Structures are given as C-alpha cells and as structure tokens.
Amino acid sequence: MLDNEATPNQEEFFYGHIEKCMVCFAHYNVEKQIRQLLKSKLNNKEVPNALAEEIRRKIVS
Amino acid sequence: MTNQVDTPVKRTYSEAKKVRVFDGEFMPHVDSMYNFAYRLTFDEDDAKDLVQDTYMKAFRFINSFQEGTNAKAWLYRILKNSFINDYRKKSKQPAKVDYQEVEQFYNSEDTPSTATVDLRLETTKDMIGDEISNALNSLAVDFRTVVILCDLEGFTYEEMAKILDIPIGTVRSRLHRARNLLREKLGSYAMSMGYN
Ligand SMILES: [Zn+2]
C-alpha cells in the first residue's frame, strides 16, 4: 500500500477499512511515519570529490 | 512476467558511443551508488572501491546494457553482486549472517528485546537522525538492502526483484520482516510524530 504496489481496488478497500478500524489506522500511521523518518532524517554521505573523476579517468584510459 | 535481463541481446556499441552511454546514463548515479555502498560496507574506502569496481564492470559489460532501460537498477544490481561476490569475502567487517540464519535468529525465543528510546528525552534532529541510521544499520544486510532500495531509492518491487535476483514474493516478505524490525526499534518515534 505505502509502496504504491496496490491495485486501485485494493486501495479503495484499504482506505475504506482504516476509516472504521482504529487498529489498522494506527498501524498504517506508524508505518507511514517510519518511511518518512527514513526519507527525511537519514543524512547522505558526502561523496569524495575525486570519485567521479577517477572513474571517468579509468574508463577512458 | 517478461524478464529482459535474461534475454541475451547481442549489441555492440562503438567506442565513442560507449563513452556517451557511460557518461549520460551511468555517471549521474555516482552519488546514490556511493551512499548505497556506504550503507552496505560502513567504510568510506570500501564504499569508494566498491563503486569504482562497479563502474569498471559496468563499462566492461556495457554491451549488455540496453539503452533507455533503467540504468540505475542495472548499476545497483552490479554493485550488489560485487558486494556479495568480491567484497564480502575480503571485508574488514565480520562476516554477515545470511537471510536463513537471520530468519532463525529472529524466530528464536531468546532474542534480546531491543531497547526503544524515549523521544521525550532526545528531541534534537541529529539525535533522531542517528537513531534512525542506527536502527537501519542494525538490520542484517539482506533486510537493510530492501529498505534502502524501497524507501530511500524508491525502486518498485519488480525492479528490486531484478536487482537482488530474487522472486517478487521474497522481496515482499523480506520487506515485511525488515519493517517489523524497524517498527520495533523506531515505533516510539513514529507514534509520537504521528499523534503530536
Ligand atoms: Zn482493521
């Protein structure tokens, strides 16, 4: 569902269900938050400056 | 399900064309490849070597890359294979447990429960970032990989299946398992964010 792998029918059923079911709604929220945390809070590593250059040099030589 | 990867395609790019494809389709992914490599190896030098190896291989086998198809997925697959075949053996890291062992490990009764951190005590952004990165890094490599590919890189299940050479059903169950582990570790954060 959260991975955008569900069919429109499955989505409709799911969103209809969580409107009525607190357990699934809570579960859905936690899952959603974890994905957002991963996406927003993980710092990207600084890529070594020379890396792209080195790769480029090796393939043309 | 069609599987383009398995279909042998005979194609020969000219030398100039090879470089054009390499620059145009492969080079834009250096940064995300480096981050993926670092999240697998936890070591800057190893990550750099792994990315370089991957790009050398990509160039050597460039004739098996179909222009216009998903270059990023193609490169990730090479990187992941290099990591498993070449890197893991000579790694400074202790050998990582494979999926089977992990499965048993987490199913066993005496697994120590993970301490969850109380958000109210640590609310700065950096702390949260560290906590999340620790939680992700504490996952065994097979679980970590699916989370990175799915949540950080946004690959579809089908792309992940190709990158990892596993059936889609396995992608799904591995992700499910990984998410449960993350939820154990990060559930308290997620809850407080969701309801504040
Ligand atoms: Zn329900």
Side-chain angles (χ1 to χ4, degrees):
Chain A
M1 185 66 50
L2 284 159
D3 300 332
N4 299 316
E5 299 274 349
T7 65
N9 263 345
Q10 287 172 318
E11 286 196 12
E12 197 185 329
F13 176 82
F14 177 79
Y15 287 110
H17 177 75
I18 60 169
E19 294 216 344
K20 292 170 282 181
C21 174
M22 271 315 288
V23 176
C24 290
F25 179 72
H27 184 82
Y28 168 80
N29 261 325
V30 170
E31 288 290 322
K32 201 167 89 182
Q33 294 303 333
I34 288 178
R35 280 173 184 66
Q36 276 171 10
L37 283 171
L38 284 168
K39 260 198 144 57
S40 61
K41 297 290 190 289
L42 279 182
N43 297 318
N44 273 337
K45 230 26 219 163
E46 201 175 314
V47 181
N49 283 330
L51 181 58
E53 241 169 74
E54 272 173 48
I55 289 169
R56 200 54 188 67
R57 202 175 53 235
K58 278 190 186 165
I59 69 123
V60 289
S61 64
Chain B
M1 190 178 74
T2 57
N3 195 342
Q4 293 171 321
V5 178
D6 291 339
T7 319
V9 192
K10 252 295 173 251
R11 181 191 318 90
T12 318
Y13 294 122
S14 69
E15 288 308 308
K17 177 77 178 170
K18 279 185 190 174
V19 175
R20 256 202 324 276
V21 170
F22 191 88
D23 284 344
E25 306 227 32
F26 297 173
M27 289 306 283
H29 303 296
V30 170
D31 286 13
S32 63
M33 294 276 282
Y34 178 76
N35 271 281
F36 182 39
Y38 184 76
R39 292 191 202 289
L40 292 175
T41 61
F42 302 125
D43 183 278
E44 290 175 13
D45 291 331
D46 288 341
K48 208 173 134 188
D49 289 349
L50 189 51
V51 173
Q52 280 187 342
D53 284 356
T54 301
Y55 273 93
M56 295 309 110
K57 280 181 196 160
F59 191 67
R60 206 169 338 129
F61 298 113
I62 200 164
N63 284 325
S64 63
F65 171 73
Q66 277 180 285
E67 223 189 336
T69 59
N70 192 332
K72 192 174 172 185
W74 194 76
L75 291 168
Y76 268 63
R77 184 166 179 273
I78 300 176
L79 191 146
K80 169 274 199 171
N81 285 334
S82 302
F83 173 69
I84 290 172
N85 298 327
D86 309 336
Y87 169 81
R88 254 162 119 175
K89 289 181 196 129
K90 60 182 183 209
S91 165
K92 297 165 206 160
Q93 296 284 324
K96 306 201 172 60
V97 281
D98 71 15
Y99 183 63
Q100 220 59 34
E101 291 173 272
V102 170
E103 187 92 277
Q104 283 155 10
F105 175 76
Y106 286 111
N107 286 338
S108 70
E109 295 292 307
D110 50 8
T111 308
S113 66
T114 329
T116 41
V117 185
D118 189 343
L119 182 71
R120 281 163 300 179
L121 300 176
E122 300 165 332
T123 46
T124 69
K125 271 196 171 181
D126 279 354
M127 288 298 280
I128 295 175
D130 284 351
E131 211 52 52
I132 289 162
S133 135
N134 288 343
L136 180 63
N137 293 347
S138 73
L139 300 184
V141 69
D142 286 340
F143 294 131
R144 193 162 69 234
T145 305
V146 288
V147 173
I148 295 167
L149 295 179
C150 185
D151 293 344
L152 299 185
E153 299 299 342
F155 286 113
T156 63
Y157 288 4
E158 193 175 344
E159 287 166 337
M160 289 166 66
K162 283 184 185 166
I163 292 171
L164 302 172
D165 296 302
I166 54 176
I168 288 193
T170 311
V171 170
R172 208 172 271 131
S173 63
R174 234 178 247 194
L175 253 180
H176 184 75
R177 183 56 74 119
R179 294 245 160 80
N180 285 346
L181 293 168
L182 276 180
R183 199 173 53 238
E184 276 173 32
K185 293 165 202 290
L186 296 172
S188 57
Y189 280 144
M191 293 278 245
S192 54
M193 287 185 66
Y195 298 113
N196 275 352

